[in-house]
Amino acid sequence: MSAETPSGTAGDSGTRTWTGPTAAERLALLRGARTIAIVGASDKPSRASYFVATYLLSSSRYRVYFVNPAAKRILGQPVYAALADLPEPPDIVDVFRRYEDLPGVLEEAKAAGAKNLWLQLGSWHEEVARDAEAAGMGVVMDRCVKIEHARFHGGLNLAGFNTGVISSRRQLPL
């Protein structure tokens, strides 16, 4: 189960049948959330979870919790060993873990009272998505919280980042 499949996720059959939320539904999910727990958060600046954490702490109103049993502090914030250790149920559990870890993360999220499970770019697990929905949770897969938040709040252009250039000149098509 370690080989890459056409979907880009190890262990997945490559056939995607689950349909995720629309852009409007993802926006509503992000607007309704107050807390985000990043499971698999890393203190290494080269990791995607660190980049997302930096963005969420500096550019959003969310209370951000980090979950990683091997770390003590990330970006000056305490790190929790498990979702059960958080001071409140998270609205969104943002997951940076391997495919085979996802069912366990879902079980932790359900036990912690999480409302939504968000699997990061490249992460797709249809069984986990179905189980989460059956438990009444919202599910987003193969999308980045940072990218989606920035897109909905004017922080991205078509290239995927904000150039910071303000101009009244019409942009030439590529």
Side-chain angles (χ1 to χ4, degrees):
M1 283 207 154
S2 63
E4 288 293 305
T5 62
S7 70
T9 304
D12 193 23
S13 68
T15 305
R16 292 185 173 191
T17 59
W18 180 84
T19 303
T22 64
E25 292 166 335
R26 291 189 310 275
L27 174 59
L29 185 153
L30 288 169
R31 281 192 175 158
R34 299 289 175 252
T35 58
I36 296 180
I38 301 177
V39 174
S42 175
D43 59 357
K44 295 180 176 84
S46 62
R47 298 289 179 113
S49 63
Y50 187 91
F51 183 68
V52 169
T54 301
Y55 171 84
L56 291 175
L57 288 174
S58 66
S59 301
S60 77
R61 57 170 172 67
Y62 301 117
R63 286 185 304 281
V64 180
Y65 298 109
F66 302 121
V67 179
N68 182 335
K72 297 291 182 214
R73 293 191 81 73
I74 296 174
L75 295 167
Q77 305 286 330
V79 179
Y80 299 87
L83 287 168
D85 299 332
L86 297 180
E88 62 185 314
D91 293 316
I92 298 173
V93 173
D94 186 17
V95 185
F96 289 87
R97 296 292 304 271
R98 294 185 309 243
Y99 178 87
E100 57 270 14
D101 297 334
L102 299 177
V105 173
L106 171 60
E107 292 308 312
E108 278 190 55
K110 290 191 302 189
K115 295 177 183 153
N116 300 283
L117 185 70
W118 192 298
L119 305 183
Q120 276 294 325
L121 285 172
S123 191
W124 188 272
H125 199 301
E126 296 211 7
E127 183 179 340
V128 165
R130 285 190 296 275
D131 290 350
E133 288 178 329
M137 297 173 72
V139 178
V140 177
M141 293 195 294
D142 197 20
R143 292 198 179 265
C144 176
V145 166
K146 181 257 181 250
I147 292 171
E148 292 294 293
H149 183 275
R151 181 167 73 103
F152 292 133
H153 295 87
L156 290 181
N157 68 9
L158 294 177
F161 55 89
N162 186 346
T163 63
V165 175
I166 299 173
S167 172
S168 62
R169 290 183 60 177
R170 177 176 277 201
Q171 297 295 314
L172 297 175
L174 298 176

